Every structure is written in structure tokens, then in C-alpha cells.
């Protein structure tokens, strides 16, 4: 008769510490409480800011 231990799933963040599952669930619930329209606006504004900064860097770094 063989006894197999069931491996326990443990997720680690990039520092190697174990992730608190209650905190992770709270974060997911908090983020999902916002509407889709809100997230579309946030990512659109972020994309526009990044696009503006890249153009500004390219404009300022050109040789005269």
C-alpha cells in the first residue's frame, strides 16, 4: 500500500514570499467592483499619456 501526499498549491510573488489568498481575493473583488467603462477610460488615458511621452522623448532627443 502506497501513501501519496497531495501537493499543496502555493503561489509565490517575485520576492519568494507566499501570497495571502484572502488579500488576493480582496484585491480581485475590489478591482472587479469598478465598471468596464471606468477601466476603458483609465487604459485609454494611460495609452494617450504614454504615446505623448514617447513622442516628446523622440522630439527632444533629435539632433539639431
Amino acid at each position: 500500500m502506497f501513501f501519496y501526499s497531495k501537493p499543496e498549491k502555493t503561489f509565490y510573488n517575485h520576492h519568494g514570499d507566499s501570497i495571502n489568498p484572502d488579500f488576493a481575493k480582496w484585491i480581485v473583488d475590489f478591482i472587479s467592483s469598478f465598471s468596464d467603462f471606468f477601466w476603458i477610460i483609465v487604459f485609454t488615458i494611460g495609452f494617450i499619456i504614454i504615446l505623448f511621452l514617447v513622442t516628446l522623448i523622440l522630439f527632444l532627443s533629435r539632433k539639431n
Side-chain angles (χ1 to χ4, degrees), residues 6-59:
K6 185 176 179 183
E8 197 176 301
K9 285 188 177 181
T10 306
F11 299 100
Y12 293 97
N13 61 17
H14 63 280
H15 294 294
D17 299 332
S18 178
I19 295 174
N20 184 353
D22 294 331
F23 181 66
K25 185 177 182 325
W26 181 83
I27 291 291
V28 169
D29 290 341
F30 179 72
I31 289 174
S32 64
S33 68
F34 293 104
S35 69
D36 290 341
F37 182 72
F38 172 78
W39 289 118
I40 290 172
I41 294 297
V42 166
F43 284 108
T44 304
I45 291 172
F47 178 74
I48 291 171
I49 289 172
I50 289 173
L51 188 64
F52 174 74
L53 291 177
V54 166
T55 347
L56 185 65
I57 288 171
L58 288 174
F59 177 75

